[in-house]
Amino acid sequence: MLILGKEVSKTTRLEIAEKVKEFEAKYNRVPCLSVIIVGEDPASQTYVRNKVLGCEEVGMKSLKYEFPDGTNQEDIANVIRTLVADKNVDGILVQLPLPKGYDEKYLLDLIPETKDVDGFCANNIGLLALGTPRTISCTPFGVMKLLASTGVDLKGKHAVVVGRSNTVGKPMAMLLLNANCTVTVCHSKTTNLEEICKSADILVVAIGKPKFLKANMVKEGAIVIDVGINRVDGKLCGDVDFDEVEKKASFITPVPGGVGPMTISMLLYNTLMAAQDRENG
Ligand code: GUN
């Protein structure tokens, strides 16, 4: 069965839009997300456009700062510092990856945990690791919402995460562990990947290789979540060979229309939460 991220996302955004109205009535302003993008990478441009459109959809304000590749890093740092000090800005997001030559850690470390709506900073990742999360990284958070939409009890299930990035794989593994799954994390150096994937009740694939996961790596009845967004011959496809794997999976996310829309919905949710927390001191 298909997990329709677009549909789950629509419901989530309607709920957020309602809460934004209540927020505005109470505080006489709307939550505000600022987005910084450096360079002309077409995929990043599309993500940022969709983030801005997402803000409009739920009635939030967005500020977009675009810098050409080659902009002095300190100029970007100064914009971030200004946004940190701006009491009308609730969230600050630096679109990743940054072009070569920029120090990602230096720029991200300028964002305080209270405005870190991506959930990337050490404190937010640490709180998640301790099982007491505050702001949760948007993509893994969205995947948990999609898993919840299946109605399947996650407790005791073997969840396999393919990919160990700080933005998806690691927080994904921690969320599944917090949901009482037995979790295995695989990566490029894993030797028996096929065997491990085949033992998974839940498979989350986030490695950025088009159609990497084949049917022979999937157990009959597994839930398969495809985090990949790859462009092949002008067409979008995931990290999962959908046509093959669909036949074996009990639930599977399509690309596009699966995880992607949920990521942005959770970003909007995180921005609303950050705004509420700031108003409540
Ligand atoms: N690039 C790809 N996904 C993301 C994300 O969730 N946040 C940021 N900041 N950059 C990304």
Side-chain angles (χ1 to χ4, degrees):
M1 204 169 349
L2 275 182
I3 304 177
L4 292 172
K6 236 177 155 168
E7 297 302 313
V8 182
S9 178
K10 211 181 278 174
T11 316
T12 310
R13 289 187 201 193
L14 284 174
E15 287 166 11
I16 295 170
E18 274 308 305
K19 297 222 169 73
V20 168
K21 274 193 206 137
E22 289 168 23
F23 182 94
E24 187 176 14
K26 199 162 170 190
Y27 301 111
N28 205 25
R29 70 176 188 97
V30 294
C32 174
L33 170 69
S34 59
V35 183
I36 292 155
I37 177 165
V38 187
E40 284 77 39
D41 176 61
S44 291
Q45 293 280 349
T46 305
Y47 296 144
V48 166
R49 194 175 330 116
N50 287 335
K51 287 170 186 180
V52 169
L53 287 173
C55 285
E56 279 173 26
E57 195 182 329
V58 299
M60 284 184 192
K61 187 175 169 189
S62 66
L63 302 169
K64 182 165 133 185
Y65 295 86
E66 285 184 279
F67 299 96
D69 187 3
T71 304
N72 186 304
Q73 177 161 285
E74 229 16 61
D75 293 344
I76 300 169
N78 282 331
V79 168
I80 297 175
R81 290 185 185 105
T82 306
L83 294 169
V84 170
D86 189 335
K87 61 180 181 10
N88 291 313
V89 169
D90 300 294
I92 306 170
L93 180 154
V94 176
Q95 186 64 28
L96 302 178
L98 289 165
K100 273 202 188 72
Y102 289 94
D103 185 343
E104 182 180 302
K105 180 168 162 36
Y106 172 72
L107 291 175
L108 291 186
D109 278 351
L110 296 170
I111 304 171
E113 61 199 74
T114 48
K115 295 194 178 188
D116 168 36
V117 283
D118 258 329
F120 288 169
C121 78
N123 269 1
N124 280 324
I125 291 285
L127 285 166
L128 176 59
L130 291 170
T132 52
R134 182 179 43 207
T135 305
I136 302 171
S137 314
C138 308
T139 299
F141 195 7
V143 170
M144 293 310 286
K145 295 282 176 197
L146 292 178
L147 288 172
S149 78
T150 67
V152 173
D153 185 8
L154 304 182
K155 188 172 60 200
K157 296 279 194 302
H158 184 204
V160 172
V161 179
V162 187
R164 57 172 161 179
S165 68
N166 289 338
T167 51
V168 182
K170 282 183 203 166
M172 188 74 250
M174 293 192 280
L175 281 168
L176 290 162
L177 194 57
N178 291 346
N180 293 313
C181 289
T182 302
V183 182
T184 306
V185 183
C186 298
H187 48 79
S188 56
K189 305 291 185 292
T190 299
T191 51
N192 50 345
L193 182 67
E194 188 178 323
E195 193 185 317
I196 297 171
C197 287
K198 203 147 187 182
S199 73
D201 303 306
I202 299 160
L203 249 171
V204 182
V205 191
I207 49 167
K209 290 186 185 168
K211 300 190 184 184
F212 174 82
L213 192 94
K214 304 288 181 192
N216 65 352
M217 302 166 84
V218 179
K219 180 162 81 175
E220 193 74 42
I223 301 176
V224 179
I225 306 287
D226 190 349
V227 179
I229 302 178
N230 310 289
R231 195 170 284 276
V232 177
D233 301 330
K235 255 187 85 182
L236 287 184
C237 75
D239 292 349
V240 174
D241 193 329
F242 183 88
D243 294 337
E244 279 191 14
V245 173
E246 183 199 20
K247 298 184 184 85
K248 285 182 107 175
S250 58
F251 292 95
I252 185 166
T253 58
V255 176
V259 173
M262 273 321 275
T263 294
I264 296 180
S265 296
M266 301 333 287
L267 171 68
L268 301 171
Y269 175 84
N270 284 349
T271 305
L272 172 67
M273 289 301 122
Q276 284 180 346
D277 286 352
R278 276 166 23 78
E279 289 295 344
N280 295 324

